[in-house]
Amino acid sequence: MKIKHVINLHKAITPLVVLGLMFAYQNFTLGPWVYLSLHGTYGLLWLLKDRIFPDRQWEQEIPLGMGIFGFGVLLLYWVAPFILISSGTIPSLPLVAAAISCNILGIFLHYTSDAQKYYTLKYRPGLITEGFFARCRNTNYLGEILIYLSFAMLAQHWLPFLILAGFIAGVFVPNMLKKDRSLSRYPEFAQYKAQSGLLLPQLLGQIPANYKETKETGFL
């Protein structure tokens, strides 16, 4: 079993879970439909991404037990739709608009930066210091955080925000630091790191026009 099989399964059945909750609680108001549209589309795009420009880190083989545990952890992402649908709370139109905007921005940053990383490393291995990664070393993670932030906003409850904070601290940040350690083998990384943010874009300072290209041999 690969890590991606666990993640892809979760993404694929999430729309079914949300629909099931809507029928179980007979809640077909605005909030659940918007949530279904946003989270369902996100999952569909994830599956398409895995077919078109897959992420190498999700290709790692894992034991079945670890896969089951990982899927259990991912179930926490269903807390937001459960709270939204079971509570019957109707989000205001300004909140819905803000959540949709946050989601669209997150989708854009997440998938387009992943596409840049995949095709850049495919045709020109080396340290990526331009485009989406010129000012931020983890634009893809920033986009994913914004996506799940939009889901938490629709739930209008503190628990989804706490779960998102837990994933940021326990998964996203360690992965970002692991990536930094891997990229530190490049002589030009120190200069690039000084000119870019770990998660949020570094807006001050100049990015040099060119960095020395080196062969990509490890994690990115």
Side-chain angles (χ1 to χ4, degrees), residues 38-108:
L38 295 181
H39 207 153
T41 302
Y42 167 57
L44 175 61
L45 291 175
W46 181 283
L47 295 175
L48 289 173
K49 179 179 83 76
D50 183 62
R51 297 291 299 176
I52 301 170
F53 49 99
D55 195 322
R56 289 181 304 168
Q57 67 175 319
W58 306 134
E59 297 291 334
Q60 180 181 345
E61 297 280 350
I62 57 173
L64 177 61
M66 186 178 296
I68 294 174
F69 173 78
F71 188 83
V73 172
L74 292 177
L75 294 183
L76 292 172
Y77 280 134
W78 291 346
V79 170
F82 173 78
I83 291 175
L84 169 64
I85 297 170
S86 64
S87 68
T89 302
I90 300 177
S92 66
L93 291 180
L95 178 61
V96 170
I100 292 174
S101 297
C102 183
N103 186 272
I104 291 174
L105 178 59
I107 290 287
F108 173 73

Side-chain angles (χ1 to χ4, degrees), residues 40-185:
T41 302
Y42 167 57
L44 175 61
L45 291 175
W46 181 283
L47 295 175
L48 289 173
K49 179 179 83 76
D50 183 62
R51 297 291 299 176
I52 301 170
F53 49 99
D55 195 322
R56 289 181 304 168
Q57 67 175 319
W58 306 134
E59 297 291 334
Q60 180 181 345
E61 297 280 350
I62 57 173
L64 177 61
M66 186 178 296
I68 294 174
F69 173 78
F71 188 83
V73 172
L74 292 177
L75 294 183
L76 292 172
Y77 280 134
W78 291 346
V79 170
F82 173 78
I83 291 175
L84 169 64
I85 297 170
S86 64
S87 68
T89 302
I90 300 177
S92 66
L93 291 180
L95 178 61
V96 170
I100 292 174
S101 297
C102 183
N103 186 272
I104 291 174
L105 178 59
I107 290 287
F108 173 73
L109 293 176
H110 180 39
Y111 290 113
T112 52
S113 60
D114 267 358
Q116 179 191 347
K117 182 181 73 171
Y118 176 84
Y119 287 106
T120 298
L121 295 179
K122 181 176 181 179
Y123 296 108
R124 194 193 64 192
L127 184 63
I128 304 174
T129 60
E130 58 186 6
F132 288 101
F133 298 95
R135 297 288 182 177
C136 176
R137 302 195 297 282
N138 295 282
T139 310
N140 43 0
Y141 278 121
L142 174 59
E144 193 166 1
I145 290 171
L146 291 175
I147 291 168
Y148 281 103
L149 177 61
S150 71
F151 301 154
M153 291 167 62
L154 288 173
Q156 302 176 83
H157 193 277
W158 59 267
L159 185 53
F161 290 99
L162 180 62
I163 292 172
L164 176 58
F167 273 100
I168 293 172
V171 179
F172 294 168
V173 171
N175 279 347
M176 288 186 280
L177 296 177
K178 178 182 177 182
K179 174 183 174 181
D180 269 7
R181 289 193 296 270
S182 175
L183 296 181
S184 65
R185 69 187 183 276

